[in-house]
Amino acid sequence: MNTTRIQNTLETLFQDSAGWLHPGRRVVFWYDPEQQFTSSFNELQLEGVEKLQLADTAFTVKYHLLVEQPNQTFLLYAPFPEPAPQENWLLDIQKSGLTFSADPAALIYADLGLRSRGLEIVIREYDKFFKSRKRTEALQAMGISPDSDERGLLLAMLSVLAGLKVPDAGTLIRRVLLGGLLESDNALWSDIERFISPEAFWEVVQEHTDFPKQNPSLNKLFVQLLITHFAKSLHGTISPQLANQVITPGQRAYAFIDQWMRDQQDSLGWKILSSEVAEQLHIFDAIENLEPEVLFEAASFEVVDKVLIRTCVKTLQMQMGQQITELTPWRTWLQARHTLIWFPQYEKIYQALEAAIALLEFKQQYPEGFRQPAPLLFKAYANDLHSFDKAYRHFIVKSDDAQGDILKGLIDDVENLYTQWFLDSLGEAWSDALSEEGKGARGQGEKGKILPPAPHLPCPPASFFPASPPLPLSWELEGVASQTRFFGRHVFPILERSDREKVFVIISDALRYEVASELEEVIKKEVRGETSLEAQLGVLPSVTRLGMAALLPGSKLELIPGDDDVRLDGLSTKGASARQKVLNQNSRVEATVLSAKDLLEMNTEEGRAAVQPYRLIYIYHNVIDAIGDQASSERQVLSACKTAISELLRLVKKICNSINGTNVIITADHGFLYQRRPIQEADKRPLPSGEVVLESKRRYLLAREQLNDSTLLHFSLPYTENGTVALIPRGSLRFAVQGAGAQFVHGGASLQEICVPVITYHHQRAVKGDEGPARKVGVQISARVRRVTNNRFTLTLVQSDAVEGRWRSRQITVAFYDPQTNIPITDVRGANLSSTSPHPSDREISLRLTVTTANPPTNVYLIVKDADDESELLRETWVVSLGIANDFGDF
């Protein structure tokens, strides 16, 4: 060892305050029994340090240090062995100072700044480890505590082999296991055997996880840790064939696996090992008969999700076609899976199951069917019944995206439920209601009670529009606005109240009412403003050319059978340029027509320039109809609804945020009927033919006169001449038209086709002090006392606000923390606050937590955090008072 190395080490030893137990003067003893370093001692130049070679009597040295120079720092060099304690007359001074040695182990000991002299022996024992300069420097860089004992030093050395920057038992064990459960193929394990010892590793494992050291192996370690975690996750007793693998008491083992599962970097490796163990122990066979209320919070094995999904599918299939039993527990169980590790792999399946549950619960609400007068049934569809179409859409879209065939049988049952119960029952009830409404209308007509004309613009003066012919009562519903009055009811009042306000009208082809209701919810959450949704009675036949014309200002519609154009006050309405001409002539303001695609592609400057000269902007959007009307793509029409919602939201944001729009109205020309199952011949009506038929499609005929067929609904049309009538198949039946593309249809009189949405949105600009366009829901704790009395306990949270309007859902994490270290003393549980219920009792969430610390502090913090940004939402002081350990207790 050269003098420079010795000098640097001694300088560090004297200067490093962390190595000294007292603030006073510093004395270092250097014993050199072989007298190898006498010349080096003589060459040393240590600033502020007096060198003294021990040769005189101990009394003389002691007098010099304690009486003559009591404040001086000394390096005492002894060219002889260290005396035995009973013979060492300077032992009191030596105990208050430090001892230095110049052999490699001693220098390493000094470099590490350790205090316990016994660790020099440990360093010499593991000389193979310290022969590597890289490993030694990595150990020194860890900055281990000067008060470390042998366990602490060995943990740091093992952590160096694992490539860690700081000593960490949990991460060390994790790294070893990730290297493979077979020791012979585990490179890190080979390094432990070569440079340290397996016994040192198993000591760390036992201290950190309570895993017993008898006949240990890496495979046995991981199996028992995983089974212990699994056992503590169950709401019941673990099966006997797995019980002998459980570590007791188990809190540390549970915490170890729980932390590993939540680690973003290492969770993937954990999944691989978990799957290996699941196959090795035949976990599926062991749990396939367990009840869902036992399994629903367990996430130790992927097969838990498979078992729950299979059980749920079987349960739902049994419910289809029967009187529904209580399904609320399944909602709770499936919701609990959302925050667990395997959920992303089964998300689509779970969402499909939740939609199927919604369908069954919906059926339970209508045990007597849908029979009621037409106006009431129309309003019932707009208020509630459309939710069944929405749930069916969600089910089909999610099941399309799901992997595997697990939903195959359930898909068939959902199709039966949707087509045979909902579409057929609702369609029949609606057809009968229309027939009764028509009879009443004709009776009133015979008595001379005719409704007055219904122009598009009831508000303007009579001179503005000529009077229109009366609409037949058979296609007007009392208390329900007609699509032909859209402009007068929604657009004209805005134009009239100010000569500065612009109106943006977005017409989305085939935007069904249930899709619009979801769009309205999204708009409320995503942008700032006032939003409302209402339903209007669409025109008949419910086709694009007539629906688009009905949304324009004007007085007299003219539908000519066989002609793909509809005239409004004598003007063509076919195409963008023709509609712009109608808008400019009949609206009394400057108007323009844009395509949604073009507007979305414009930058801010281009968008403002495109609308700046105009007060009325009609924007045409076509996603749903473009997909559905093509036989080759109609299968994707329900997923296209999601695309439409996304694009329409982008349009609203662009209009309001980029081009300064304030008033936005979103509507449609018509809705649509769709079912995934191919249409059977029994669901088709023969297509009438002959000279009386002027135009024929799958959902309607236009004819010169009524046909003698009681299976068809006959409607007189006010916008045709010569007594032309529309013939509509009852319910959701189609005419037998040749060619593909029968699943997606429109043109008829079903509620799905003619309940046309109108979303009105008035944008509100941000004002100073406004916290933003939307807020996440809050959370509260529901507990009589703030005390934990068992290792496992249930915590009840309450979502303080319903998810509606501008209130958004929130992902949270919940745990109890040590107030001194800020380290969790329980597992960290996640929850999704997404309830839309207005009732607080329906917004309660129960979480089961496990104390993972052997000796938790008495006073702890309950902390709830936002999972997205880790911000604290709630912090409460709780008392932990554990008596006899009870793994299955509650408050």
Side-chain angles (χ1 to χ4, degrees), residues 636-711:
Q636 285 77 48
V637 69
L638 295 184
S639 60
C641 294
K642 181 179 180 181
T643 303
I645 291 172
S646 176
E647 288 191 5
L648 291 169
L649 177 63
R650 286 176 57 205
L651 270 175
V652 172
K653 287 183 175 181
K654 189 175 188 70
I655 290 169
C656 298
N657 297 333
S658 297
I659 55 181
N660 299 325
T662 300
N663 302 295
V664 181
I665 303 172
I666 305 172
T667 188
D669 50 350
H670 55 76
F672 63 87
L673 274 173
Y674 178 80
Q675 65 183 65
R676 174 55 60 84
R677 174 180 294 166
I679 305 299
Q680 306 299 313
E681 290 302 316
D683 297 325
K684 298 178 182 179
R685 304 299 305 157
L687 182 64
S689 60
E691 294 183 356
V692 298
V693 177
L694 303 175
E695 181 176 323
S696 59
K697 299 291 181 182
R698 294 188 189 274
R699 283 288 291 157
Y700 72 94
L701 296 179
L702 296 181
R704 290 192 178 91
E705 58 188 46
Q706 291 181 303
L707 301 180
N708 187 21
D709 189 339
S710 61
T711 66

Side-chain angles (χ1 to χ4, degrees), residues 483 486-487 491 504-511 536 544 547-553 579 583 593-596 617-623 648 651 655 664-670 756-757:
Q483 186 180 25
F486 164 79
F487 194 90
V491 182
F504 294 82
V505 178
I506 303 173
I507 303 173
S508 183
D509 204 330
L511 182 69
Q536 56 187 9
T544 297
M548 291 296 185
L551 297 171
L552 297 169
R579 292 169 190 168
L583 287 170
V593 168
L594 298 172
S595 77
I617 301 95
Y618 265 51
I619 303 167
Y620 290 92
H621 177 256
N622 187 11
V623 170
L648 291 169
L651 270 175
I655 290 169
V664 181
I665 303 172
I666 305 172
T667 188
D669 50 350
H670 55 76
V756 176

Side-chain angles (χ1 to χ4, degrees), residues 381 386-391 393-394 397 508-523 533 621 623-624 637-648 666 668 670-672 674 744 752 755-759:
Y381 181 81
H386 71 274
S387 300
F388 201 88
D389 290 306
K390 184 189 298 185
R393 170 168 60 86
H394 287 168
V397 171
S508 183
D509 204 330
L511 182 69
R512 191 158 70 170
Y513 188 86
E514 56 93 359
V515 183
S517 71
E518 186 172 326
L519 172 62
E520 187 213 12
E521 294 172 1
V522 172
I523 291 175
L533 170 67
H621 177 256
V623 170
I624 299 173
V637 69
L638 295 184
S639 60
C641 294
K642 181 179 180 181
T643 303
I645 291 172
S646 176
E647 288 191 5
L648 291 169
I666 305 172
H670 55 76
F672 63 87
Y674 178 80
F744 175 88
Q752 288 85 353
C755 184
V756 176
V758 179
I759 298 175

Side-chain angles (χ1 to χ4, degrees), residues 366-407:
Y366 293 89
E368 305 301 325
F370 309 104
R371 301 276 173 181
Q372 54 186 311
L376 295 181
L377 187 51
F378 182 92
K379 293 176 182 178
Y381 181 81
N383 292 334
D384 183 46
L385 298 180
H386 71 274
S387 300
F388 201 88
D389 290 306
K390 184 189 298 185
Y392 172 75
R393 170 168 60 86
H394 287 168
F395 176 84
I396 292 298
V397 171
K398 300 305 179 184
S399 61
D400 280 349
D401 294 338
Q403 301 294 322
D405 296 328
I406 184 65
L407 297 178

Side-chain angles (χ1 to χ4, degrees), residues 53-68:
Q53 182 168 328
L54 300 181
D56 297 333
T57 64
F59 177 79
T60 302
V61 173
K62 201 169 220 181
Y63 183 82
H64 182 60
L65 267 63
L66 298 180
V67 177
E68 296 179 337

